[in-house]
Every structure is written in C-alpha cells, then in structure tokens.
C-alpha cells in the first residue's frame, strides 16, 4: 500500500463534522465561528454566565425579606425538622378545633340563652 491509498482509506473512515459536534469533540457549529476564535467565544460565554450568576447572587433577597414575603418560615428550627414542626402545628390546630367543636353549646341552649331565635324551619 502506498501513502495515497492509506490516506484515502483513513479519510473514508473519518467521521463527519456533525458526528464530531454531537460527540463534543468539535465545539459548536464550525461553519459559524472560525476555529481560531472558538476558544475565545467559549471563554466569553463562560464569563457571561459567571457575571450573570454573580449578579443574581449579589442581588438575591435577604432571609428577612424572604420571611416577610412568607417564602421562608421565621423559625429557628433546623431545616431537617421544619416539616415535622409544620405537621405538628397542623395536628395541634386540628385537635384544638375538634375540642372547640365538641364543647360548643347545642342549639337548644343557645335559644334558651337568647343568643339565637327559635325558628323551627331552620
């Protein structure tokens, strides 16, 4: 085999550009950006993302603002225990309402005390 036939064989087995882009060997579309400036374009994109994230972190709301907008609870409970605390508060509220409903006076007592009027159709 001579050099030309070896070269032709290797070139015929060479993957196409889209396959190289898909396998992330070539970055982006080579027809849009010259290879000489692809590295600079990637660095520019990376710096743009860094600047955006830095801006968002610098301008994110404080914990007090999040508590004020009811996004965070204003407790000093560890985050792992917050769900348990919420469930406990809900259970306590349910028990309290059940107790109040159980202890409320019946209709006859309210009529007798003159709180409501005796209306047999109601």
């Amino acid at each position: 085999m001579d050099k030309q036939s070896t070269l032709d064989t290797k070139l015929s087995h060479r993957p196409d550009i889209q396959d190289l882009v898909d396998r992330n060997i070539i970055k982006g579309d080579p027809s849009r950006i010259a290879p000489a400036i692809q590295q600079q374009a990637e660095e520019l994109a990376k710096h743009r993302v860094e600047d955006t994230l830095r801006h968002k972190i610098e301008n994110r709301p404080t914990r007090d603002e999040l508590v004020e907008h009811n996004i965070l609870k204003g407790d000093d409970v560890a985050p792992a225990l917050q769900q348990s605390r919420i469930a406990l508060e809900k259970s306590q509220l349910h028990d309290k309402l059940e107790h109040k409903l159980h202890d409320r006076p019946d209709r006859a007592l309210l009529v007798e005390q003159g709180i409501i009027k005796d209306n047999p159709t109601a």
Side-chain angles (χ1 to χ4, degrees), residues 8-79:
D8 288 339
T9 304
K10 289 187 178 188
L11 285 176
S12 67
H13 292 7
R14 180 179 183 186
D16 63 343
I17 290 178
Q18 187 58 44
D19 185 39
L20 294 174
V21 170
D22 292 344
R23 291 177 24 206
N24 210 18
I25 296 172
I26 296 177
K27 307 287 185 196
D29 186 5
S31 64
R32 286 185 36 212
I33 300 175
I37 61 171
Q38 277 186 347
Q39 182 68 27
Q40 293 172 341
E42 288 176 24
E43 288 178 15
L44 179 63
K46 182 179 176 183
H47 287 295
R48 197 176 306 146
V49 169
E50 288 174 357
D51 290 342
T52 302
L53 289 174
R54 187 177 304 111
H55 176 73
K56 287 184 178 185
I57 288 172
E58 288 172 356
N59 293 320
R60 71 180 183 179
T62 64
R63 185 179 194 290
D64 293 335
E65 290 172 332
L66 294 175
V67 169
E68 184 179 312
H69 294 310
N70 290 324
I71 296 171
L72 287 178
K73 296 280 184 186
D75 7 307
D76 298 326
V77 177

Side-chain angles (χ1 to χ4, degrees), residues 2 4 11 22 28-29 38 45 62 83 87 92 94 107 110 120-122:
D2 63 347
Q4 185 63 36
L11 285 176
D22 292 344
D29 186 5
Q38 277 186 347
T62 64
Q83 289 295 340
Q92 287 175 336
H94 182 267
R107 180 173 173 72
L110 294 174
T121 59

Side-chain angles (χ1 to χ4, degrees), residues 105-118:
D106 63 347
R107 180 173 173 72
L109 181 62
L110 294 174
V111 169
E112 183 180 311
Q113 292 177 347
I115 296 174
I116 59 173
K117 295 181 181 177
D118 188 19

